[in-house]
Amino acid sequence: MLLKVCFFSPTAYSYFDKSKNLWAGGAEIQQVLVAREMAARGIEVSFIVGDYGQDDVEVFGDITVIKSFAPFKGNRKLRFILDMLKIYRAMKIADADVYNQRSTSFYTGQLAYFAARLKKKFTFSIGIDYNCLSDCGGFLPKIMCRLYRYGIRKADAVIAQTEQQKKLLRENFDVEATLIRNGIYIPTGTSHDDALDKVENALQGKEKTREFLWVGSFRKRKRPELFVELARRIPEARFTLIGGVGDDKDYYEKIVKDAEKVENLRYVGFVPPERIDSYYRKAFALINTSYLEGFPNTYLHSWIYGTPTLTIEIDPDGIIEREGIGRKTGSFEELVRSARELCSDENLRNHMSQRAWNYVRKNHDIKDRSQDYIELFERLIAE
């Protein structure tokens, strides 16, 4: 029997229609990558997205994209019933065997209920660590958390990104999750030596000035202001800041204003996914200043080019320290020291680079991780 899979993500539409300048993050790109790989293998794939004025049903390549409700418009409480009816209608149009949602949402409980009503399977993929907490870490309203808890407990499968997330789900929901790590397309036809040459060429004519990179939406939990301060503290290096407005426009504008005052820091703004690889490829190291994440896609994007990571707190399952592909510093002052050390020790940087290059190819190839999803979904519909 041909497997039919539908992914639910109201904010993923810009990954299909590139003319739409809409926000989309890491959770969305992971679903899109898996969906494209499944479609390439002959699986019937659909995507339920938000209403951005497009036709009810569109086809992009081998993926059917179905419109549901309009995100971020009007009063969510007043439009609740109408939005739910639109989601249910979209699910019936998709007529999938398995539905998948990723990251905490107001709609998790409803999706689980609708899937059961349609006699289909519902799966949920963890997007960020607070998805594993019964109170959603205080980030979401209580009613939203109640619906979310219902959805998690009714899901036919919950997929975790890390062993730590599996542990938290067991402790907080009594749910035994399936571990499927994030995936990324691995470039072919290049070697690690080629990657080192790219970095070396980027330094030519600039007195071998090291360039550090920060990528993400400007949200308070990501703390981009620490990257700006890092640039101030290490004037002998260059810094590139990439990102767009998060959930607080005033906060975003303050970060941009502060960044413009730092001579060795360049603020690029938002960069579309299809144009961002060159920044990862030329960076000396990726900097992460967040205090809360899941498994950052920025890590995978940098590691495929052998770019190591320096992070204050985010080291999923201790991978960065254990695999030697960067440093978890534990504090901002240690981040400053580690960045300076990396600047002065090219052999250390190259060693980390080789480790990152090898690790991501062994553990995060999207072809392998998509196969994990396929096997899980096939087991579910065989039950």
Side-chain angles (χ1 to χ4, degrees):
M1 182 179 71
L2 178 66
L3 179 64
K4 297 173 67 176
V5 178
C6 178
F7 295 89
F8 175 86
S9 181
T11 51
Y13 188 60
S14 61
Y15 284 119
F16 297 101
D17 186 344
K18 301 296 175 60
S19 69
K20 301 291 185 182
N21 186 22
L22 304 167
W23 179 89
E28 291 81 1
I29 191 58
Q30 280 298 312
Q31 284 186 303
V32 170
L33 290 175
V34 173
R36 287 173 177 165
E37 187 62 28
M38 285 184 173
R41 300 185 190 195
I43 293 170
E44 190 172 327
V45 177
S46 58
F47 238 95
I48 295 175
V49 300
D51 179 354
Y52 300 99
Q54 75 273 30
D55 292 338
D56 287 353
V57 179
E58 299 175 296
V59 178
F60 293 87
D62 295 321
I63 298 176
T64 300
V65 177
I66 304 165
K67 179 173 72 176
S68 60
F69 66 99
F72 316 121
K73 287 187 178 180
N75 186 304
R76 179 178 283 172
K77 294 178 181 178
L78 294 178
R79 69 170 203 248
F80 178 83
I81 294 177
L82 182 58
D83 283 356
M84 294 309 102
L85 290 173
K86 289 180 177 179
I87 291 172
Y88 188 51
R89 172 181 174 272
M91 291 176 72
K92 288 198 291 184
I93 292 172
D95 189 30
D97 301 307
V98 182
Y99 294 86
N100 176 263
Q101 183 201 6
R102 191 179 186 99
S103 205
T104 314
S105 166
F106 190 69
Y107 312 101
T108 304
Q110 297 90 305
L111 289 167
Y113 174 78
F114 291 152
R117 186 179 177 88
L118 293 168
K119 295 181 170 53
K120 308 293 186 178
K121 302 295 184 180
F122 171 67
T123 63
F124 182 83
S125 298
I126 298 296
I128 190 169
D129 284 356
Y130 73 68
N131 293 171
C132 306
L133 306 178
S134 58
D135 65 351
C136 300
F139 284 89
L140 302 175
K142 289 184 179 180
I143 182 62
M144 191 171 177
C145 289
R146 290 180 66 182
L147 288 167
Y148 175 67
R149 289 194 295 269
Y150 171 85
I152 287 292
R153 293 186 173 120
K154 292 295 183 180
D156 295 285
V158 177
I159 299 104
Q161 301 168 304
T162 65
E163 292 289 355
Q164 174 65 12
Q165 290 175 352
K166 283 190 66 175
K167 178 175 179 289
L168 289 171
L169 286 164
R170 193 180 303 118
E171 292 172 351
N172 295 305
F173 291 94
D174 195 26
V175 166
E176 193 59 43
T178 299
L179 176 65
I180 301 180
R181 298 198 183 277
N182 287 1
I184 192 167
Y185 283 113
I186 304 297
T188 58
T190 60
S191 67
H192 182 248
D193 286 342
D194 293 332
L196 293 181
D197 288 343
K198 289 284 185 182
V199 175
E200 184 68 22
N201 291 338
L203 300 176
Q204 296 302 318
K206 297 173 182 175
E207 298 180 350
K208 291 190 178 294
T209 304
R210 309 326 192 185
E211 181 165 357
F212 293 96
L213 176 67
W214 190 100
V215 180
S217 58
F218 284 16
R219 297 173 182 267
K220 290 182 179 179
R221 64 178 172 83
K222 292 180 179 287
R223 302 187 295 192
E225 67 273 11
L226 293 183
F227 185 74
V228 176
E229 180 60 24
L230 184 66
R232 289 195 189 99
R233 298 280 289 274
I234 311 180
E236 65 272 22
R238 290 182 295 124
F239 294 78
T240 298
L241 178 65
I242 294 177
V245 181
D247 48 10
D248 186 331
K249 188 176 180 181
D250 290 340
Y251 175 71
Y252 162 78
E253 290 176 348
K254 182 180 186 307
I255 297 299
V256 173
K257 185 176 180 180
D258 289 346
E260 290 172 347
K261 299 175 184 176
V262 183
E263 187 175 343
N264 60 324
L265 189 152
R266 173 180 55 149
Y267 173 58
V268 177
F270 171 76
V271 177
E274 63 271 16
R275 287 176 35 216
I276 202 166
D277 280 18
S278 62
Y279 293 95
Y280 288 110
R281 190 183 294 116
K282 294 185 293 185
F284 200 69
L286 176 76
I287 303 294
N288 182 287
T289 52
S290 299
Y291 65 81
L292 179 65
E293 295 274 3
F295 196 119
N297 285 290
T298 54
Y299 286 7
L300 302 185
H301 278 287
S302 60
W303 296 346
I304 60 174
Y305 297 111
T307 301
T309 299
L310 299 181
T311 178
I312 298 175
E313 297 186 45
I314 306 302
D315 185 7
D317 287 344
I319 288 168
I320 290 174
E321 285 286 307
R322 184 178 68 250
E323 298 292 333
I325 52 184
R327 292 267 176 84
K328 177 186 175 183
T329 66
S331 71
F332 176 72
E333 291 302 324
E334 284 299 322
L335 176 66
V336 175
R337 279 190 277 273
S338 292
R340 284 177 173 152
E341 179 186 8
L342 207 62
C343 283
S344 63
D345 191 340
E346 192 167 346
N347 288 333
L348 173 62
R349 192 269 177 191
N350 290 346
H351 174 75
M352 290 178 174
S353 175
Q354 181 71 71
R355 302 281 292 181
W357 177 278
N358 293 340
Y359 170 79
V360 74
R361 281 159 175 75
K362 181 179 178 181
N363 295 280
H364 295 279
D365 191 324
I366 191 61
K367 296 181 184 298
D368 298 331
R369 302 293 70 83
S370 296
Q371 183 61 32
D372 292 339
Y373 269 97
I374 292 169
E375 291 175 3
L376 171 63
F377 292 172
E378 287 178 338
R379 287 198 303 272
L380 290 177
I381 63 173
E383 292 177 353

